[in-house]
Amino acid sequence: KNFVYFSPHLDKKNNIYAKPLRIDSNKDLHDPTAFEFFDTKIHGSYIGAASDGEKIYYGPYIQINEYGIPITDKSTILIYDTNKLFNDRNSWEYRSVSYGAYGGVGFNGTHIVFAPFCNSVSKENTAECGKIMFLDTNTQKISYSKISHGAYNGVIETDDALYLAPRVDNEGIRSDFIQIKNSIETFSPNIGLGGYWGGTYDGRYVYFSPYDSIPNSNVRNGEFLRYDTFQPFNNSDSWESISFSVCNLEPYTYLGG
């Protein structure tokens, strides 16, 4: 299936409106027919998507109602069946869930995992929005982690695990790093104390992209961080960081890798 899929975030006017895009990689990039959009009619924003080999699952970040007011008590997962036409409404499933504000999606072989973004939800709902959501791709049953884990920007897929990239909350506190295999494991190394947004995997190391240190401020995270997957997750010796200052660079913001 020679397509690349993109998750819809903002339109050209910087408004939220969900129009997923895909590109046919068999066609010339300058060929207009290589690009397809689908208008979901949802006034919402999505961050990330994941595939189980048959379907594409888009992570809902925020939705607004007809009056432009954010909806905080529910959101809509978009699910596209790749065996069907992209721009046909019957190819899409709209799955309503109780919480919103997810900041990334990954597939671990059995479940689609949605990382909680959390910060955009009002403080009284923080405990709920910090829960990780799991969608069983066989039964389509949805479940949640037993406890709230905090706020995350992105899910990094590796050979045998998923890693959630932690962000910092409005008080400047970074969430723990998360590894998901058969269970959820958390760890906070004694380095890389700022916020991160996504990253990448090279077959051994997981790299986390530095993002914010304090949300809505000019204080930026100045450390690249990586974890050696050949070593124990919950050991600070398995983690390495390098500061931008070593490279004589100012801290910049990076999203993913």
Side-chain angles (χ1 to χ4, degrees):
K1 300 176 181 179
N2 303 296
F3 295 97
V4 180
Y5 296 85
F6 294 86
S7 183
H9 188 46
L10 301 172
D11 67 14
K12 62 183 178 181
K13 295 181 179 179
N14 218 33
N15 297 317
I16 56 174
Y17 194 75
K19 285 188 177 182
L21 164 70
R22 80 172 182 181
I23 299 175
D24 187 338
S25 60
N26 282 334
K27 295 183 178 181
D28 189 287
L29 190 62
H30 299 92
D31 182 351
T33 65
F35 296 81
E36 289 184 275
F37 291 93
F38 175 68
D39 188 350
T40 66
K41 307 297 184 183
I42 293 175
H43 291 279
S45 170
Y46 289 75
I47 297 180
S51 172
D52 64 0
E54 294 293 329
K55 296 180 179 180
I56 308 293
Y57 301 77
Y58 297 82
Y61 169 54
I62 191 171
Q63 273 182 246
I64 59 175
N65 63 20
E66 58 190 293
Y67 304 106
I69 300 172
I71 300 170
T72 59
D73 61 346
K74 65 178 181 179
S75 59
T76 303
I77 302 172
L78 288 173
I79 305 173
Y80 165 61
D81 185 341
T82 62
N83 296 301
K84 299 179 180 180
L85 296 174
F86 187 71
N87 56 6
D88 186 341
R89 174 63 181 85
N90 294 323
S91 306
W92 293 80
E93 178 184 351
Y94 292 28
R95 185 78 180 271
S96 181
V97 290
S98 300
Y99 308 129
Y102 291 96
V105 194
F107 179 55
N108 67 356
T110 60
H111 292 77
I112 302 295
V113 178
F114 297 80
F117 189 90
C118 202
N119 272 7
S120 61
V121 176
S122 57
K123 281 197 171 184
E124 58 267 26
N125 293 327
T126 297
E128 288 79 6
C129 84
K131 292 182 177 180
I132 303 168
M133 181 168 66
F134 298 86
L135 191 157
D136 188 316
T137 56
N138 288 323
T139 65
Q140 294 297 300
K141 180 181 179 182
I142 287 177
S143 59
Y144 297 88
S145 59
K146 293 181 180 179
I147 63 172
S148 172
H149 289 278
Y152 293 85
N153 291 326
V155 179
I156 304 167
E157 297 181 348
T158 69
D159 299 329
D160 63 350
L162 299 178
Y163 294 87
L164 274 60
R167 65 173 306 183
V168 294
D169 62 21
N170 289 325
E171 282 71 46
I173 300 173
R174 192 206 68 207
S175 300
D176 290 339
F177 287 85
I178 286 181
Q179 178 193 74
I180 299 177
K181 290 187 176 179
N182 295 323
S183 61
I184 300 171
E185 187 169 356
T186 64
F187 184 63
S188 183
N190 53 19
I191 55 176
L193 301 179
Y196 292 84
W197 192 307
T200 192
Y201 172 62
D202 69 0
R204 175 170 180 173
Y205 294 98
V206 177
Y207 298 82
F208 296 89
S209 298
Y211 186 62
D212 55 357
S213 290
I214 301 176
N216 305 315
S217 80
N218 293 322
V219 180
R220 296 298 181 187
N221 182 4
E223 287 185 293
F224 273 102
L225 184 70
R226 75 177 187 179
Y227 160 63
D228 185 347
T229 62
F230 290 4
Q231 304 300 324
F233 178 70
N234 57 358
N235 187 328
S236 285
D237 292 339
S238 307
W239 299 74
E240 295 179 289
S241 68
I242 184 169
S243 171
F244 281 103
S245 61
V246 174
C247 309
N248 295 317
L249 293 174
E250 298 264 342
Y252 287 95
T253 294
Y254 293 87
L255 279 72

